[in-house]
């Protein structure tokens, strides 16, 4: 895909720019407080999929317009009252609904590039579940209020958050976070381990995330990143099976052009220039797991 295609994605709720291998996606919704809408979900899915396949992209950073107090104030309640797809009120059968927040979470979680959330404002509902949990790294303003109103609204935590949060902080802490209805801050004992860095000033969040992204973009081989994320997200069912996956991955990467360049750069004490690309990494082995199509109800019923 060319750079012109990035600008022709038809994005209206987010703005995207590619700078030195870092794709910066900024929530800039026309709705109050960057509320999560069906259109925003489509925009985010589209831009993260674009970043996944474009080899110029090394890292994807999501942040919000700093002039808006909220990073994301959760689902747009006015849209829901009008019959939005956000709560599954458009389908006749239960197994036909596909949670838009969950679709966004999957586009981020399954992305082969490094993903970073730079949370520079308050976050409620989807602003925590779909726009923080599926990322590889999270930077956040210490003064941000995190609110999960699901149970008070008679619904439940969405965006695959019950799966992701338990994996990230453990079941006990995830239970406390999701069932307590509490308003929390990033320094909460249950939450703090989620974050790579908690910044005292709101304006420092994005620069810190970008500095970290730049370091990763320069020093990490994209294909090795994708393999490592695959092993983290799709491990074997036992340590022995994981050993087999590790061994094959190490063999493939060790024999690659990246492996040769990494060793040479190390010996020459310089930054590496990795030649292998994610788009060219297709084989009968990778991915070693069977991806499940969740976009079509007829193909993915439970």
């Amino acid at each position: 895909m060319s750079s012109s295609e990035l600008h022709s994605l038809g994005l209206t709720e987010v703005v995207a720019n590619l700078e030195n291998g870092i794709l910066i996606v900024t929530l800039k919704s026309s709705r109050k407080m960057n509320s999560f809408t069906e259109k925003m979900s489509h925009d985010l899915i589209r831009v993260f999929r674009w970043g996944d396949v474009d080899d110029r992209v090394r890292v994807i950073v999501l942040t919000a317009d700093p002039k808006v107090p909220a990073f994301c104030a959760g689902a747009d309640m006015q849209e829901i009252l009008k019959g939005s797809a956000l709560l599954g009120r458009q389908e006749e059968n239960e197994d036909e609904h596909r949670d838009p927040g969950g679709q966004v979470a999957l586009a981020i979680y399954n992305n082969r590039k490094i993903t970073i959330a730079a949370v520079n404002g308050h976050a409620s509902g989807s602003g925590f579940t779909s726009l923080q949990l599926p990322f590889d790294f999270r930077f956040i303003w210490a003064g941000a209020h995190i609110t999960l109103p699901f149970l008070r609204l008679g619904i439940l935590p969405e965006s695959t958050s019950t799966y992701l949060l338990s994996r990230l902080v453990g079941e006990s802490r995830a239970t406390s976070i999701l069932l307590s209805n509490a308003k929390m801050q990033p320094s909460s004992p249950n939450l703090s381990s989620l974050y790579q860095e908690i910044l005292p000033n709101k304006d420092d969040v994005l620069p810190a995330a970008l500095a970290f992204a730049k370091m990763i973009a320069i020093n990490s081989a994209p294909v090795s990143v994708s393999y490592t994320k695959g092993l983290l997200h799709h491990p074997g069912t036992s340590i022995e099976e994981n050993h087999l996956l590790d061994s094959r991955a190490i063999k493939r990467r060790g024999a690659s052009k990246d492996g040769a360049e990494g060793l040479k750069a190390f010996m020459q004490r310089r930054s590496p220039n990795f030649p292998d690309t994610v788009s060219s990494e297709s084989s009968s082995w990778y991915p070693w797991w069977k991806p499940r199509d969740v976009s079509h109800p007829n193909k993915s019923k439970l």
Side-chain angles (χ1 to χ4, degrees):
M1 292 185 176
S2 67
S3 180
S4 61
E5 287 181 85
L6 176 58
H7 299 290
S8 65
L9 291 177
L11 307 174
T12 60
E13 301 291 283
V14 307
V15 176
N17 295 290
L18 179 59
E19 302 175 7
N20 300 318
I22 302 171
L23 179 61
I24 305 171
V25 181
T26 305
L27 301 177
K28 202 166 184 177
S29 173
S30 58
R31 308 295 290 178
K32 184 178 180 181
M33 299 294 186
N34 284 328
S35 295
F36 190 87
T37 64
E38 191 175 353
K39 181 63 174 69
M40 180 184 283
S41 74
H42 295 323
D43 281 1
L44 288 168
I45 291 168
R46 193 175 297 122
V47 75
F48 271 88
R49 286 179 176 169
W50 188 90
D52 178 70
V53 300
D54 193 297
D55 287 323
R56 293 168 300 170
V57 177
R58 297 293 188 92
V59 184
I60 307 176
V61 177
L62 176 71
T63 192
D65 183 347
K67 296 188 293 294
V68 179
F71 170 71
C72 174
D76 188 313
M77 302 306 289
Q78 293 299 321
E79 183 176 290
I80 288 176
L81 289 173
K82 293 177 182 178
S84 166
L86 294 179
L87 285 183
R89 294 178 175 176
Q90 294 182 357
E91 300 88 359
E92 293 184 5
N93 299 319
E94 292 180 0
D95 57 8
E96 291 180 355
H97 179 58
R98 295 294 179 267
D99 167 32
Q103 294 283 305
V104 171
L106 286 168
I108 298 168
Y109 188 76
N110 292 330
N111 203 286
R112 293 172 293 179
K113 312 298 176 62
I114 292 290
T115 59
I116 301 174
V119 185
N120 56 347
H122 305 306
S124 179
S126 304
F128 176 75
T129 55
S130 62
L131 302 187
Q132 292 189 45
L133 298 184
F135 284 82
D136 298 316
F137 300 96
R138 290 157 289 274
F139 290 73
I140 194 168
W141 170 43
H145 293 154
I146 296 171
T147 310
L148 303 180
F150 304 107
L151 303 185
R152 293 197 303 271
L153 294 172
I155 53 177
L156 76 160
E158 28 68 296
S159 304
T160 71
S161 57
T162 50
Y163 173 87
L164 289 173
L165 194 56
S166 293
R167 284 174 61 93
L168 289 165
V169 301
E171 186 174 350
S172 177
R173 288 179 175 174
T175 298
S176 178
I177 292 168
L178 295 176
L179 296 184
S180 66
N181 286 323
K183 179 183 287 187
M184 297 164 285
Q185 289 191 295
S187 58
S188 162
N190 287 326
L191 276 180
S192 60
S193 63
L194 269 178
Y195 299 103
Q196 180 73 14
E197 196 169 347
I198 300 173
L199 287 304
N201 299 312
K202 182 179 178 180
D203 293 339
D204 293 338
V205 175
L206 181 57
L210 290 177
F212 186 73
K214 183 178 179 181
M215 180 270 293
I216 291 177
I218 293 173
N219 295 306
S220 299
V223 178
S224 294
V225 165
S226 68
Y227 272 39
T228 303
K229 291 184 65 168
L231 288 164
L232 285 167
H233 296 170
H234 303 278
T237 57
S238 67
I239 190 170
E240 290 83 7
E241 186 176 335
N242 239 71
H243 169 60
L244 297 178
L245 291 171
D246 280 351
S247 298
R248 188 159 183 177
I250 291 168
K251 167 64 176 176
R252 290 178 63 86
R253 291 280 77 215
S256 69
K257 294 177 182 178
D258 279 355
E261 166 61 11
L263 180 60
K264 185 184 294 185
F266 177 80
M267 297 304 294
Q268 296 175 353
R269 298 184 179 182
R270 61 172 173 81
S271 296
N273 184 20
F274 295 114
D276 294 336
T277 61
V278 170
S279 65
S280 63
E281 185 60 22
S282 59
S283 69
S284 59
W285 180 70
Y286 177 85
W288 53 85
W289 64 94
K290 184 178 180 180
R292 186 166 185 176
D293 184 354
V294 296
S295 59
H296 300 95
N298 291 334
K299 296 181 180 180
S300 54
K301 293 181 180 180
L302 291 175

